[in-house]
């Protein structure tokens, strides 16, 4: 007897039940994460999207705005105000490329680089709040990565 790797698909009206919608489960989890991140980032003076920008810069170093947007899946209309606020807070500096006036590179200031040390506790607080083990969180991350890739392919 072989077992199927996937659960049976509900039929008819069952398909339209809210609790059968993966998208709603992701939405609800995202909103719950937002609340936990809001608390965890308050002491750093960052919003969640600003934190994501800082993570990219801490990991990758100076980057063109376009590359940051691609990595975070954010358009320039969303990213530009975030960068302005981070610059006003003294955490990043934006500079136009001399070679290409259309390209703007973002880099950390000393204060932005130093903030990394205070941010180290954030992922640990999130894991703790999630109720997942580190292994479970990594497994979930893997599943979400597969899901994202499949959905990207589908459209």
């Amino acid at each position: 007897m072989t077992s199927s790797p996937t659960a049976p698909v509900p039929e008819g009206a069952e398909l339209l039940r809210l609790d059968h919608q993966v998208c709603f489960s992701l939405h609800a989890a995202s909103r719950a994460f937002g609340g936990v991140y809001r608390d965890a980032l308050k002491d750093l003076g960052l919003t969640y999207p600003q934190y994501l920008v800082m993570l990219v810069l801490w990991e990758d170093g100076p980057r063109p705005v376009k590359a940051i947007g691609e990595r975070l899946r954010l358009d320039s209309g969303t990213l530009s105000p975030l960068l302005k606020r981070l610059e006003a807070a003294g955490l990043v500096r934006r500079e136009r490329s001399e070679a290409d006036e259309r390209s703007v590179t973002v880099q950390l200031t000393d204060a932005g680089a130093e903030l990394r040390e205070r941010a180290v506790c954030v992922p640990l607080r999130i894991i703790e709040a999630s109720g997942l083990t580190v292994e479970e969180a990594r497994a979930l991350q893997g599943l979400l990565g597969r899901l994202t890739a499949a959905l990207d392919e589908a459209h």
Side-chain angles (χ1 to χ4, degrees):
M1 179 171 156
T2 61
S3 63
S4 170
T6 59
V9 175
E11 293 184 26
E14 286 293 304
L15 284 172
L16 295 177
R17 289 180 52 100
L18 182 61
D19 60 351
H20 288 180
Q21 308 305 307
V22 173
C23 58
F24 181 72
S25 295
L26 289 170
H27 171 74
S30 178
R31 290 185 55 87
F33 265 117
V36 174
Y37 269 104
R38 210 171 1 269
D39 292 343
L41 296 172
K42 190 180 347 178
D43 292 340
L44 301 179
L46 296 174
T47 64
Y48 177 69
Q50 290 170 341
Y51 173 68
L52 295 179
V53 169
M54 297 301 289
L55 287 173
V56 169
L57 295 172
W58 289 328
E59 186 176 336
D60 298 340
R63 286 285 170 256
V65 171
K66 183 177 180 178
I68 296 169
E70 288 170 355
R71 180 108 191 260
L72 297 178
R73 296 173 164 251
L74 295 174
D75 61 52
S76 62
T78 302
L79 190 54
S80 290
L82 287 174
L83 294 173
K84 278 184 180 177
R85 286 192 292 279
L86 287 170
E87 190 171 37
L91 299 174
V92 303
R93 182 172 41 257
R94 296 180 295 163
E95 295 178 358
R96 287 213 176 271
S97 167
E98 291 179 16
D100 181 359
E101 283 285 320
R102 297 168 298 171
S103 180
V104 175
T105 297
V106 182
Q107 60 184 343
L108 294 167
T109 62
D110 290 343
E114 291 168 8
L115 186 62
R116 185 176 191 270
E117 293 306 312
R118 291 181 38 219
V120 168
C121 66
V122 172
L124 300 173
R125 287 180 65 183
I126 301 305
I127 290 288
E128 184 178 295
S130 75
L132 299 174
T133 66
V134 171
E135 294 77 21
E136 289 170 331
R138 293 279 182 252
L140 177 59
Q141 226 174 346
L143 287 172
L144 291 172
R146 280 183 36 211
L147 175 63
T148 301
L151 293 173
D152 283 347
E153 279 289 314
H155 77 39

